[in-house]
Each structure stands twice: as structure tokens, then as C-alpha cells.
Amino acid sequence: MKKVFIAIVIIFISFVLGAGSAYLAITYLGDAGWVKNGAWKTNLTLGSEEAGMYTRAYVALHALLSLRRSQTIYYYAEIDDLGNPLTSDCVFRIEGEPLNARWWSITAYGDDQFLIPNEEGRYSFNQGISNTGGYVIYLSRMPQEGNWLPTGDEKRLFLCLRLYNPADEYYDHPEAVKLPRIIRKECP
Amino acid sequence: MNKKWISIAFIIFVLAILFHILVVRYFPRMLMIGAALRIKDTFGVEKNEILHNEPVNAESKKIVMPSPDLLYSGISFDVEKYPLVIEAPVPKNTYWSVSMYDYDTNNFFVIDDRDIPTDEIVVILIGPDAAVPHRDGAIVVRAPANQGIILFRMFISDRNKIAELEEYQKKITCRPLK
């Protein structure tokens, strides 16, 4: 009886250590190997068999059912250009030149990684390839003139930039292509 | 520390590594199976039946980071017994794609409207060991596993066109090839 008890305790401790370290590894090491470009990061192995065990788990947790890079490139941001965390306590201005993709969008997500509730149903900004002008988008709790993505009371915000049928430059130089700038404006 | 405690510590270390690998390896699979089960439990849609989603909003909590710019339809497929025939009209004035995933999150097949010369597509999805059926004009896709998820995406370039896109959605069919 004592041996059975010891075996159960050993298995329990092993499981806690194994599962706990797996969670930490997925959370903190899962984005190792991602390509950084300013505030944005991407991983071109998403959805493909090339993705490693930790990347696969990280993506399952944060971006299940991602398309492979031949179709879509995903960039994620949770900080601004200076490294400040994105939060609804501040106003952020997202701006840039047209992106070279058939169409692209920027979507704001809350801490739970789902869309942020708001009465206007404003969740994203998108542009097709026919749009040749620049853009300015405001990420803020209070209404803004022009393109505004409400942030509610989210302490932590995530942005996802999706580029559908992007130009080759995004595959060739994901770390250097011009991406939207994220600039913190008002912050109490 | 005596020999017994060293042995116990070693066993815990080895088992912990084993559990670590199992959790990391099978975590994506668990989430994918969970997504497939949610299709059934939440919407009452069985395997190999299609689910048409409305445009997502803040109430959409089934899968993380949904895109509000896309109209989704999905199928939780099982081709163990029979291949699956999927027929869909393809709009030519917006982005449209069909993608297929196994439970390991591999996107093993994807095609979009630019690669489809006609205004409709027929895909026959077969299991890893199934014989290849023949049907003129159909694309035959061999899945690496018998079960997984199929996702249709349509770009909502204009909110006023949602009703038009939903008409395309409704015309997507899938049936086992018996």
C-alpha cells in the first residue's frame, strides 16, 4: 500500500512539473524564433509542417487555424514602436503607407484575445490593393475622428495585421518590410 | 541523501520530461479537437456537415482571434469511411478561400479564388490510405489524417455586401462519396 501511495505521489509531482514547465515553455519560449520588425512579430512557419513543437503549441493557444504563408502572413503586436505595452489607458496612433498585399487588415483584440465589445461594432480596419493612400488609425477608449478602434477597458491589447496574398517582399524580408507604425500619443 | 531518494528524484525528472513533451506535443491537438467538438455541441452540426457563421463580433468566443473582415463557414470532417465531396461557388469580386487542417494544426491544403479559373470548385477529400476517385474537374486532396477541419473564408470588403456573400455561403455543399 505504501509503495502505491509513493508511486501516485511521484506521478503527481512529475505531472505538475512536466505540465507546468510545458505551460511556461509555450508561453515564454513559444515565440522564440519569431521574426521581429519594429513593434510587430511574425512567424512564417505558421500552419505548416515546418513549425516546431513549441511554435505549434503557441499558435494553437493564440492563433488557431492560421493559414500557411503562401496565403496569408500574420504580424502581431502587443507593444508600440518604443516598446510600451498596448493598453486602453493610452491613445495610440497607427499610421503608414499602403501595404503590398491583395488586402490587409488590422484588428484589435482584448486581453482574452477576442474582439473588444463596443456599440459601434468597430473591430478592425482593412484596405484593398486599390487603396494607394496612407492611413491613420486611432486605438483608444474614447471616440476619435476618422478611423477609430475602440479599446474599452482592456488593460492589455493585441493587434493582428493580416496580409492576404502578400507580395514576395514579405516572404523575403519579413524583418525589414515597412509595416504600420504604432505611436503612443496621450497617456495619463 | 541516500540512494533511494536519488532514485526517486531521477524517476520524477524523467517522468516530468515525458509529461512536458506529451503536453506540448498534444496541446494543439486537444484544442483542435475541442474546436471540432464545439461545432457539434454549440451548433448541433455533425461531422461532415457544414456550419455557416455570421460575421463575427465581440460575442464570438469559439476560436481566439477571429477576423471580423471574413465570413467563415466550417466543416469538421471525418473521411475514415468515405471521401468527402465539397462543391462551392466561387465569387470573383472578393477574396475567397478554402483551407484544410489536420488536428496537428497543419494547413495541408489551401486554394483561393485567384487559382480557380471557373466560378465553382469541386474538391474531393480522401483519407490517407483511400484510393483516388476520379471525377472530371474535381481537385482530389489527400488528408494526412482522417479527421480535421475545413474552413471557408470570404473577405467582407463592404458591409453592405454581406447578404450577397451569404448567398454564396449557402450554396456550399458537402456529402460523403459512397
Side-chain angles (χ1 to χ4, degrees), chain A residues 71-157:
Chain A
Q71 195 68 210
T72 309
I73 292 182
Y74 303 87
Y75 281 93
Y76 302 93
E78 50 188 306
I79 54 173
D80 69 4
D81 284 1
L82 295 178
N84 302 302
L86 300 180
T87 168
S88 65
D89 292 337
C90 306
V91 176
F92 295 90
R93 179 183 159 105
I94 304 166
E95 61 181 30
E97 295 74 45
L99 299 171
N100 199 359
R102 183 176 172 196
W103 70 275
W104 60 271
S105 70
I106 292 178
T107 309
Y109 296 95
D111 201 16
D112 60 358
Q113 299 179 53
F114 289 105
L115 299 170
I116 301 165
N118 65 87
E119 287 180 5
E120 293 82 3
R122 290 169 178 256
Y123 306 116
S124 70
F125 172 82
N126 69 59
Q127 270 194 350
I129 200 161
S130 56
N131 292 91
T132 53
Y135 52 88
V136 174
I137 308 159
Y138 285 98
L139 197 60
S140 82
R141 181 180 290 156
M142 300 306 291
Q144 303 285 330
E145 290 284 326
N147 301 310
W148 167 50
L149 296 180
T151 56
D153 292 322
E154 300 291 334
K155 287 292 166 202
R156 207 164 151 226
L157 302 169

Side-chain angles (χ1 to χ4, degrees), chain B residues 12 29 71 86 142 175:
Chain B
I12 288 174
R29 180 173 282 256
L71 199 55
I86 300 136
R142 186 180 293 282
R175 59 184 168 79

